Amino acid sequence: MTARIDARFKLAASENRAALVTFVTAGDPDHATSLEIVRALPGAGADVIELGMPFTDPMADGPAIQAAGLRALKGGETLHRTLDLVRAFREGDDATPIVLMGYYNPIYVYGVDAFLADAKAAGADGLIVVDLPPEEDEELCIPALAAGLAFIRLATPTTDDARLPAVLKNTAGFVYYVSIAGVTGAATPDFNVVSSAVARLKKHTSLPVAVGFGVKTPEHAAAIAAGADGVVVGSALVDAVRSSLDGEGRATAKTVSAVTDLVSALAAGVRRGRAAA
Protein backbone atom coordinates (compact mmCIF):
# COMPACT_ATOMS: atom_id res chain seq x y z
CA MET A 1 0.00 0.00 0.00
CA THR A 2 2.70 2.50 0.91
CA ALA A 3 5.47 0.93 -1.14
CA ARG A 4 6.57 4.06 -3.00
CA ILE A 5 6.40 6.22 0.13
CA ASP A 6 8.26 3.67 2.23
CA ALA A 7 10.93 3.21 -0.42
CA ARG A 8 11.54 6.92 -0.77
CA PHE A 9 11.95 7.56 2.96
CA LYS A 10 14.22 4.53 3.22
CA LEU A 11 16.32 5.85 0.34
CA ALA A 12 16.68 9.23 2.07
CA ALA A 13 17.62 7.56 5.35
CA SER A 14 20.21 5.40 3.57
CA GLU A 15 21.76 8.62 2.25
CA ASN A 16 21.72 10.13 5.77
CA ARG A 17 19.33 12.91 4.88
CA ALA A 18 15.73 13.92 5.26
CA ALA A 19 13.30 13.52 2.37
CA LEU A 20 12.12 16.65 0.59
CA VAL A 21 8.33 16.75 0.25
CA THR A 22 7.13 19.41 -2.21
CA PHE A 23 3.59 20.79 -2.43
CA VAL A 24 2.12 22.37 -5.54
CA THR A 25 -1.49 23.01 -6.46
CA ALA A 26 -2.90 20.95 -9.32
CA GLY A 27 -3.88 23.20 -12.23
CA ASP A 28 -1.89 26.23 -11.07
CA PRO A 29 -1.52 28.42 -13.08
CA ASP A 30 -3.08 26.15 -15.73
CA HIS A 31 -3.35 22.41 -16.23
CA ALA A 32 -0.61 22.00 -18.83
CA THR A 33 1.94 24.10 -16.93
CA SER A 34 1.03 22.35 -13.70
CA LEU A 35 1.77 18.97 -15.27
CA GLU A 36 5.06 20.31 -16.59
CA ILE A 37 5.99 21.50 -13.08
CA VAL A 38 5.07 18.19 -11.45
CA ARG A 39 7.04 16.23 -14.03
CA ALA A 40 10.10 18.42 -13.34
CA LEU A 41 10.00 18.16 -9.53
CA PRO A 42 11.79 14.80 -9.08
CA GLY A 43 14.71 15.87 -11.26
CA ALA A 44 15.06 19.03 -9.18
CA GLY A 45 15.34 17.03 -5.95
CA ALA A 46 11.80 16.36 -4.74
CA ASP A 47 11.38 12.98 -3.04
CA VAL A 48 7.61 13.09 -2.50
CA ILE A 49 5.05 15.25 -4.30
CA GLU A 50 2.03 16.59 -2.49
CA LEU A 51 -0.54 17.65 -5.05
CA GLY A 52 -3.14 20.09 -3.83
CA MET A 53 -6.73 19.45 -4.88
CA PRO A 54 -8.17 22.94 -5.44
CA PHE A 55 -11.15 23.86 -3.27
CA THR A 56 -13.14 27.04 -2.82
CA ASP A 57 -12.91 27.10 0.99
CA PRO A 58 -9.41 25.94 2.03
CA MET A 59 -9.56 26.70 5.75
CA ALA A 60 -6.05 25.48 6.67
CA ASP A 61 -4.30 27.29 3.84
CA GLY A 62 -2.73 30.71 3.94
CA PRO A 63 -3.11 33.42 1.28
CA ALA A 64 -0.53 31.94 -1.13
CA ILE A 65 -2.16 28.52 -1.44
CA GLN A 66 -5.66 30.00 -1.37
CA ALA A 67 -4.71 32.17 -4.36
CA ALA A 68 -3.19 29.18 -6.15
CA GLY A 69 -6.40 27.23 -5.69
CA LEU A 70 -8.45 30.08 -7.09
CA ARG A 71 -6.13 30.38 -10.10
CA ALA A 72 -6.52 26.67 -10.74
CA LEU A 73 -10.29 26.70 -10.39
CA LYS A 74 -10.54 29.73 -12.68
CA GLY A 75 -8.49 27.79 -15.22
CA GLY A 76 -10.96 24.91 -15.16
CA GLU A 77 -9.19 22.47 -12.85
CA THR A 78 -11.48 19.80 -11.40
CA LEU A 79 -10.89 16.73 -9.29
CA HIS A 80 -11.24 14.61 -12.44
CA ARG A 81 -8.57 16.69 -14.18
CA THR A 82 -6.31 16.44 -11.14
CA LEU A 83 -6.49 12.65 -11.34
CA ASP A 84 -5.75 12.94 -15.06
CA LEU A 85 -2.63 14.91 -14.11
CA VAL A 86 -1.52 12.12 -11.77
CA ARG A 87 -2.13 9.57 -14.50
CA ALA A 88 -0.10 11.58 -17.01
CA PHE A 89 2.75 11.96 -14.51
CA ARG A 90 2.80 8.21 -13.88
CA GLU A 91 3.36 7.52 -17.57
CA GLY A 92 6.92 8.75 -17.12
CA ASP A 93 7.62 8.17 -13.43
CA ASP A 94 6.69 5.03 -11.53
CA ALA A 95 8.87 5.73 -8.49
CA THR A 96 8.05 9.14 -7.04
CA PRO A 97 5.22 9.04 -4.48
CA ILE A 98 2.26 11.33 -5.04
CA VAL A 99 0.04 12.33 -2.14
CA LEU A 100 -3.22 14.13 -2.84
CA MET A 101 -3.86 16.89 -0.30
CA GLY A 102 -7.06 18.79 0.26
CA TYR A 103 -10.51 18.79 1.81
CA TYR A 104 -13.31 16.30 2.09
CA ASN A 105 -16.07 18.18 0.28
CA PRO A 106 -14.82 17.61 -3.32
CA ILE A 107 -14.20 13.94 -2.54
CA TYR A 108 -17.68 13.58 -1.05
CA VAL A 109 -19.23 15.20 -4.13
CA TYR A 110 -17.17 12.94 -6.42
CA GLY A 111 -18.25 9.89 -4.41
CA VAL A 112 -15.89 8.30 -1.91
CA ASP A 113 -15.69 4.82 -3.45
CA ALA A 114 -15.36 6.16 -6.99
CA PHE A 115 -12.72 8.67 -5.94
CA LEU A 116 -10.62 6.10 -4.10
CA ALA A 117 -10.78 3.66 -7.00
CA ASP A 118 -9.92 6.36 -9.54
CA ALA A 119 -7.12 7.86 -7.41
CA LYS A 120 -5.53 4.45 -6.95
CA ALA A 121 -5.87 3.61 -10.64
CA ALA A 122 -4.33 6.96 -11.60
CA GLY A 123 -1.25 6.20 -9.50
CA ALA A 124 -1.76 8.16 -6.31
CA ASP A 125 -0.13 6.76 -3.17
CA GLY A 126 -1.83 8.56 -0.33
CA LEU A 127 -4.21 11.22 0.92
CA ILE A 128 -4.00 14.13 3.32
CA VAL A 129 -7.49 15.41 4.09
CA VAL A 130 -7.15 18.11 6.68
CA ASP A 131 -10.76 18.54 7.76
CA LEU A 132 -11.52 14.95 8.79
CA PRO A 133 -10.54 14.19 12.42
CA PRO A 134 -9.86 10.65 13.66
CA GLU A 135 -13.43 10.44 14.95
CA GLU A 136 -14.54 10.41 11.29
CA ASP A 137 -12.16 7.64 10.17
CA GLU A 138 -15.01 5.49 8.87
CA GLU A 139 -15.91 8.28 6.45
CA LEU A 140 -12.73 8.19 4.35
CA CYS A 141 -9.64 6.98 6.22
CA ILE A 142 -10.65 3.33 6.64
CA PRO A 143 -11.99 3.04 3.07
CA ALA A 144 -8.79 4.67 1.76
CA LEU A 145 -6.61 2.16 3.58
CA ALA A 146 -8.77 -0.67 2.24
CA ALA A 147 -8.33 0.73 -1.28
CA GLY A 148 -4.56 0.71 -0.90
CA LEU A 149 -4.01 4.42 -0.28
CA ALA A 150 -2.09 5.71 2.73
CA PHE A 151 -4.04 8.11 4.91
CA ILE A 152 -1.54 10.60 6.27
CA ARG A 153 -2.55 12.39 9.43
CA LEU A 154 -1.46 15.78 10.70
CA ALA A 155 -0.13 16.31 14.23
CA THR A 156 0.10 19.87 15.53
CA PRO A 157 1.72 21.78 18.40
CA THR A 158 -1.56 21.32 20.30
CA THR A 159 -1.69 17.52 19.83
CA ASP A 160 -0.83 16.30 23.33
CA ASP A 161 0.13 12.80 24.47
CA ALA A 162 -3.49 11.99 25.29
CA ARG A 163 -4.60 12.85 21.76
CA LEU A 164 -1.70 11.31 19.84
CA PRO A 165 -2.88 7.65 19.94
CA ALA A 166 -6.12 8.61 18.17
CA VAL A 167 -4.23 10.68 15.59
CA LEU A 168 -1.73 7.91 14.89
CA LYS A 169 -4.07 4.91 15.02
CA ASN A 170 -4.82 4.61 11.31
CA THR A 171 -2.06 6.82 9.93
CA ALA A 172 0.09 5.30 7.18
CA GLY A 173 3.01 6.44 5.04
CA PHE A 174 4.32 9.19 7.28
CA VAL A 175 3.17 11.58 9.97
CA TYR A 176 2.91 15.23 8.94
CA TYR A 177 3.89 17.50 11.82
CA VAL A 178 2.50 21.03 11.48
CA SER A 179 5.28 23.19 12.90
CA ILE A 180 3.19 26.24 13.75
CA ALA A 181 -0.29 26.96 15.02
CA GLY A 182 -2.22 28.61 12.19
CA VAL A 183 -2.45 28.42 8.42
CA THR A 184 0.18 27.49 5.86
CA GLY A 185 2.96 29.96 5.23
CA ALA A 186 1.92 32.17 8.14
CA ALA A 187 5.09 32.28 10.20
CA THR A 188 8.57 30.86 10.66
CA PRO A 189 8.73 27.97 13.13
CA ASP A 190 10.93 27.87 16.22
CA PHE A 191 13.33 25.16 15.12
CA ASN A 192 14.31 24.13 18.66
CA VAL A 193 10.67 23.62 19.56
CA VAL A 194 10.12 21.64 16.36
CA SER A 195 13.08 19.39 17.11
CA SER A 196 11.66 18.58 20.54
CA ALA A 197 8.21 17.94 19.07
CA VAL A 198 9.60 15.55 16.47
CA ALA A 199 11.51 13.66 19.16
CA ARG A 200 8.28 13.35 21.16
CA LEU A 201 6.34 12.07 18.15
CA LYS A 202 9.00 9.46 17.43
CA LYS A 203 8.39 7.94 20.86
CA HIS A 204 4.84 7.17 19.72
CA THR A 205 5.33 5.94 16.15
CA SER A 206 7.77 4.12 13.92
CA LEU A 207 6.54 6.04 10.88
CA PRO A 208 8.71 8.78 9.37
CA VAL A 209 7.91 12.28 10.64
CA ALA A 210 7.84 15.07 8.06
CA VAL A 211 7.60 18.71 9.13
CA GLY A 212 5.82 21.46 7.23
CA PHE A 213 4.09 24.86 7.44
CA GLY A 214 6.40 27.88 7.49
CA VAL A 215 9.42 26.26 5.79
CA LYS A 216 10.40 28.76 3.10
CA THR A 217 14.16 28.81 2.54
CA PRO A 218 17.06 26.35 2.19
CA GLU A 219 18.20 27.51 5.65
CA HIS A 220 14.81 26.62 7.13
CA ALA A 221 14.92 23.27 5.35
CA ALA A 222 18.39 22.54 6.73
CA ALA A 223 17.30 23.39 10.27
CA ILE A 224 14.24 21.11 10.08
CA ALA A 225 16.16 18.32 8.33
CA ALA A 226 18.60 18.04 11.22
CA GLY A 227 16.00 16.16 13.26
CA ALA A 228 13.07 15.25 11.02
CA ASP A 229 12.68 12.44 8.48
CA GLY A 230 11.13 14.80 5.96
CA VAL A 231 10.79 18.50 5.20
CA VAL A 232 7.59 19.76 3.56
CA VAL A 233 7.62 22.97 1.52
CA GLY A 234 4.49 24.39 -0.06
CA SER A 235 3.73 28.10 0.19
CA ALA A 236 7.22 29.08 -0.99
CA LEU A 237 6.81 26.98 -4.14
CA VAL A 238 3.34 28.34 -4.79
CA ASP A 239 4.76 31.84 -4.35
CA ALA A 240 7.44 30.99 -6.92
CA VAL A 241 4.69 30.13 -9.39
CA ARG A 242 2.84 33.37 -8.68
CA SER A 243 5.90 35.56 -8.99
CA SER A 244 6.68 34.08 -12.42
CA LEU A 245 3.30 34.90 -13.99
CA ASP A 246 2.61 37.73 -16.39
CA GLY A 247 0.30 40.66 -15.69
CA GLU A 248 -2.73 38.58 -16.67
CA GLY A 249 -1.80 35.74 -14.31
CA ARG A 250 -0.64 33.46 -17.11
CA ALA A 251 2.41 31.20 -17.15
CA THR A 252 5.62 32.52 -18.68
CA ALA A 253 8.82 30.89 -19.92
CA LYS A 254 10.15 31.29 -16.36
CA THR A 255 7.33 29.56 -14.49
CA VAL A 256 8.64 25.98 -14.39
CA SER A 257 12.24 26.99 -13.67
CA ALA A 258 11.11 29.37 -10.91
CA VAL A 259 9.80 26.32 -9.06
CA THR A 260 12.55 23.86 -9.92
CA ASP A 261 15.36 26.29 -9.08
CA LEU A 262 13.89 26.75 -5.60
CA VAL A 263 13.39 22.99 -5.20
CA SER A 264 17.03 22.39 -6.09
CA ALA A 265 18.13 24.94 -3.49
CA LEU A 266 15.82 23.40 -0.88
CA ALA A 267 17.13 19.90 -1.68
CA ALA A 268 20.67 21.14 -1.10
CA GLY A 269 19.55 22.66 2.20
CA VAL A 270 17.96 19.38 3.28
CA ARG A 271 21.20 17.54 2.57
CA ARG A 272 23.20 20.09 4.60
CA GLY A 273 20.88 19.77 7.56
CA ARG A 274 21.71 16.21 8.53
CA ALA A 275 25.42 16.69 7.82
CA ALA A 276 25.52 19.67 10.16
CA ALA A 277 23.58 17.98 12.95
Side-chain angles (χ1 to χ4, degrees), residues 26-31 54 69-82:
D28 178 35
D30 61 75
H31 186 82
L70 291 175
R71 286 193 298 269
L73 292 169
K74 183 180 178 181
E77 190 70 12
T78 63
L79 196 46
H80 285 278
R81 295 198 79 195
T82 296

Side-chain angles (χ1 to χ4, degrees), residues 153-175:
R153 189 79 71 189
L154 276 64
T156 74
T158 59
T159 307
D160 59 21
D161 286 346
R163 179 65 173 166
L164 263 179
V167 169
L168 297 173
K169 182 179 179 183
N170 293 312
T171 298
F174 62 93
V175 179

Side-chain angles (χ1 to χ4, degrees), residues 241-268:
V241 172
R242 178 192 55 78
S243 66
S244 76
L245 304 179
D246 67 15
E248 302 298 319
R250 293 174 300 210
T252 67
K254 298 180 180 178
T255 297
V256 176
S257 62
V259 177
T260 55
D261 288 352
L262 179 53
V263 170
S264 295
L266 291 162

Side-chain angles (χ1 to χ4, degrees), residues 165-208:
V167 169
L168 297 173
K169 182 179 179 183
N170 293 312
T171 298
F174 62 93
V175 179
Y176 188 144
Y177 179 69
V178 176
S179 62
I180 56 173
V183 296
T184 57
T188 300
D190 182 323
F191 300 116
N192 289 326
V193 172
V194 170
S195 180
S196 298
V198 170
R200 180 173 70 89
L201 278 175
K202 283 181 163 295
K203 294 178 181 177
H204 293 266
T205 181
S206 59
L207 291 171

Side-chain angles (χ1 to χ4, degrees), residues 25 53-59 66 69-70 73 102-106 131:
T25 298
M53 299 179 286
F55 181 48
T56 53
D57 189 22
M59 64 183 185
Q66 286 186 26
L70 291 175
L73 292 169
Y103 299 84
Y104 183 48
N105 182 270
D131 55 346

Side-chain angles (χ1 to χ4, degrees), residues 106-131:
I107 296 171
Y108 177 80
V109 172
Y110 192 110
V112 169
D113 292 342
F115 170 76
L116 294 175
D118 290 353
K120 181 67 176 177
D125 299 285
L127 302 175
I128 299 174
V129 180
V130 299
D131 55 346

